[in-house]
Amino acid sequence: MSINVLVWGENVHERENEIVREIYPEGMHTAIARQIAADGDLKVSTAVLQEPEHGLSEERLAGTDVLVWWGHKAHRQVDDAIVERVAKRVWEGMGLIVLHSGHFSKIFKRLMGTPCALKWREAGERERLWVVNPGHPIARGLPAFFELEYEEMYGEPFSVPEPMETVFISWFQGGEVFRSGLTYRRGAGNIFYFRPGHETYPTYHDATIGQVLRNAVRWAHNPAPAYMAVHEAPNVPVEKAPEKIVERGPKLHAPGEQGYR
Ligand code: ZN
């Protein structure tokens, strides 16, 4: 069974900054998509901020199993209604992989419910990613640690909720550490935050990063049918209770009345 992957890119830095354009002449989203598509059963397409509805129509999202998100400068340009639409699909079971500066994207903050803030430094430091959960599907085929020669530093504390699992911890040349691979579940949706990917370095051309992205897509994919009932809050009348009961005590709602939400 193939997995439908949609790589979403903000597509701003690569058009405005010459350094980024040189590294990613076809856009960062294209490089990320190519890495994922190296496994033939992963059906990958791309969407960018500048498209109508940011390329994230109801129909497009309904056909997406895993959405990959790279954004930075234009987080605030993402329409709130579309953020809500993406969150809804995650709760129904769509996987979401949030990359690098996506920690401050509206969608990640919406799903985490915390500031998602961190320390940072742009000094071309070596990043060493330690695989701290070697049995995890996202770590499949990886060595005990791997390095990126040039990366931006992200340092703790990272103000996210305690994750379901920690897959990677990064160490940077300047001495800071960071939880760089974190899993979450929201509703029926699996979420993976993966730290590397600063736009002025060739991170998304790195073979090991490609392996992590493909592993993450497979992990995030929920093969179950979309869990549409996740949005419902039905009233169960007394006569429909699994065990026979007699109604008693005062009540707020009239029979058959809609609940507040
Ligand atoms: Zn960055």
Side-chain angles (χ1 to χ4, degrees), residues 72 100-101 152 154 198-199:
H72 185 198
H100 189 60
S101 40
E152 179 182 17
Y154 276 8
H198 189 59
E199 54 269 41

Side-chain angles (χ1 to χ4, degrees), residues 78-97:
V78 178
D79 195 273
D80 289 339
I82 290 171
V83 173
E84 220 40 42
R85 183 187 289 172
V86 173
K88 186 168 167 282
R89 271 292 292 143
V90 171
W91 295 326
E92 291 168 4
M94 181 180 74
L96 177 68
I97 297 169

Side-chain angles (χ1 to χ4, degrees), residues 151-179:
E151 255 300 348
E152 179 182 17
M153 183 281 290
Y154 276 8
E156 296 280 349
F158 185 18
S159 54
V160 285
E162 192 62 21
M164 188 160 67
E165 301 151 312
T166 303
V167 185
F168 304 114
I169 291 179
S170 285
W171 169 89
F172 296 87
Q173 240 175 326
E176 286 91 347
V177 295
F178 191 76
R179 291 168 293 164

Side-chain angles (χ1 to χ4, degrees), residues 48-49 56 109 130 151 154 165 204 227-228 236:
V48 292
L49 174 74
L56 301 170
K109 288 193 292 182
W130 287 93
E151 255 300 348
Y154 276 8
E165 301 151 312
Y204 295 118
Y227 175 32
M228 304 307 283
V236 182

Side-chain angles (χ1 to χ4, degrees), residues 185-208:
R185 185 165 297 134
R186 293 291 184 268
N190 295 319
I191 301 171
F192 182 55
Y193 172 78
F194 188 44
R195 195 219 76 86
H198 189 59
E199 54 269 41
T200 58
Y201 310 124
T203 300
Y204 295 118
H205 295 308
D206 181 273
T208 310

Side-chain angles (χ1 to χ4, degrees), residues 7-211:
V7 176
W8 187 88
E10 177 184 282
N11 192 35
V12 172
H13 299 273
E14 51 270 69
R15 295 186 306 148
E16 295 180 355
N17 183 294
E18 198 161 330
I19 297 161
V20 183
R21 188 166 48 235
E22 257 176 46
I23 303 169
Y24 299 109
E26 295 169 87
M28 298 181 76
H29 52 284
T30 308
I32 294 164
R34 254 186 217 138
Q35 288 272 28
I36 296 169
D39 280 359
D41 61 326
L42 304 178
K43 276 184 61 188
V44 189
S45 61
T46 62
V48 292
L49 174 74
Q50 298 78 18
E51 289 174 45
E53 299 180 73
H54 310 322
L56 301 170
S57 65
E58 297 268 8
E59 195 188 4
R60 193 93 191 268
L61 286 172
T64 299
D65 296 314
V66 179
L67 177 66
V68 181
W69 192 279
W70 195 99
H72 185 198
K73 193 179 178 181
H75 289 324
R76 277 185 284 182
Q77 289 173 37
V78 178
D79 195 273
D80 289 339
I82 290 171
V83 173
E84 220 40 42
R85 183 187 289 172
V86 173
K88 186 168 167 282
R89 271 292 292 143
V90 171
W91 295 326
E92 291 168 4
M94 181 180 74
L96 177 68
I97 297 169
V98 175
L99 300 172
H100 189 60
S101 40
H103 69 93
F104 268 162
S105 62
K106 285 183 179 177
I107 184 60
F108 191 61
K109 288 193 292 182
R110 172 78 175 91
L111 291 166
M112 295 298 110
T114 57
C116 303
L118 45 78
K119 293 182 184 137
W120 63 284
R121 177 172 59 237
E122 213 183 353
E125 289 164 75
R126 182 179 308 124
E127 175 177 7
R128 182 175 297 151
L129 290 103
W130 287 93
V131 178
V132 296
N133 198 340
H136 197 281
I138 296 176
R140 195 169 55 92
L142 299 181
F145 65 86
F146 58 97
E147 293 181 346
L148 297 162
E149 189 55 36
Y150 291 91
E151 255 300 348
E152 179 182 17
M153 183 281 290
Y154 276 8
E156 296 280 349
F158 185 18
S159 54
V160 285
E162 192 62 21
M164 188 160 67
E165 301 151 312
T166 303
V167 185
F168 304 114
I169 291 179
S170 285
W171 169 89
F172 296 87
Q173 240 175 326
E176 286 91 347
V177 295
F178 191 76
R179 291 168 293 164
S180 51
L182 304 176
T183 71
Y184 295 91
R185 185 165 297 134
R186 293 291 184 268
N190 295 319
I191 301 171
F192 182 55
Y193 172 78
F194 188 44
R195 195 219 76 86
H198 189 59
E199 54 269 41
T200 58
Y201 310 124
T203 300
Y204 295 118
H205 295 308
D206 181 273
T208 310
I209 294 295
Q211 182 67 50

